[in-house]
Amino acid sequence: MVTVKYNHNYEDAKKVRTEVFIQEQGFQEEFDDIDQKSVHVTIYVDKEIAGCARMFYDDDDTIIHIGRIALRKKFRNQGLGRWLVEHCEKYYENSNIIRFTLGAQCRKQGFYEKLGYHCVGDVYDEEGVPHINMIKNI
């Protein structure tokens, strides 16, 4: 059974982000002040933490940035990434949000395009990993 939690789960999100972004992918600057103003989303498979994301207002109160989207290795390629992003978007379903933004690792660009996102701007470097900004208008 897959379940989702919003907020009150930062410690679980930190575990996933440490495992995926720091230990697996080698990022050093994973945690920042944005964590304090974010809604943290975690998903669980049979009560075991599987993945996470964070969401915060970007620029104004009509744009939400979704970031730090991560799944632990054993939970990948099962449709949970799609499920996670869709639940992030659903959280703001009855709000005045007109756009979602995210900074995708370039190797994941196709995944986000399948979810309705498209690229804007140029590729940029984040700790040696190429990224691209992507948006989805509602």
Side-chain angles (χ1 to χ4, degrees):
M1 179 171 81
V2 179
T3 56
V4 63
K5 289 184 184 178
Y6 301 96
N7 279 334
H8 309 295
N9 52 358
Y10 183 57
E11 291 305 313
D12 282 349
K14 279 176 60 175
K15 289 177 191 173
V16 172
R17 289 167 55 185
T18 297
E19 182 177 319
V20 173
F21 294 124
I22 295 174
Q23 295 171 353
E24 183 182 329
Q25 296 181 8
F27 287 93
Q28 299 297 312
E29 299 172 18
E30 176 55 25
F31 301 101
D32 55 30
D33 292 340
I34 294 171
D35 283 328
Q36 305 310 312
K37 68 176 187 175
S38 296
V39 173
H40 295 277
V41 183
T42 47
I43 61 170
Y44 302 82
V45 175
D46 298 327
K47 298 184 181 181
E48 182 180 357
I49 183 67
C52 67
R54 72 177 184 186
M55 308 177 294
F56 57 91
Y57 287 97
D58 190 16
D59 295 331
D60 63 42
D61 64 353
T62 63
I63 301 170
I64 292 293
H65 185 85
I66 304 172
R68 304 302 203 256
I69 302 164
L71 286 173
R72 296 174 62 217
K73 268 188 183 180
K74 74 185 237 178
F75 296 104
R76 295 178 192 159
N77 301 309
Q78 300 174 36
L80 295 173
R82 169 183 287 276
W83 196 88
L84 178 59
V85 173
E86 288 172 349
H87 273 74
C88 288
E89 295 169 354
K90 187 176 180 177
Y91 184 81
Y92 292 97
E93 191 171 59
N94 295 314
S95 70
N96 62 339
I97 300 304
I98 61 169
R99 177 179 304 132
F100 291 99
T101 67
L102 55 85
Q105 292 182 12
C106 288
R107 64 187 183 86
K108 295 294 185 179
Q109 177 181 334
F111 167 77
Y112 293 109
E113 288 174 338
K114 289 177 187 173
L115 295 175
Y117 287 81
H118 65 274
C119 296
V120 292
D122 297 323
V123 172
Y124 62 93
D125 180 88
E126 192 167 307
E127 292 193 62
V129 177
H131 282 68
I132 187 80
N133 286 321
M134 300 185 81
I135 65 170
K136 180 178 182 177
N137 294 314
I138 305 300

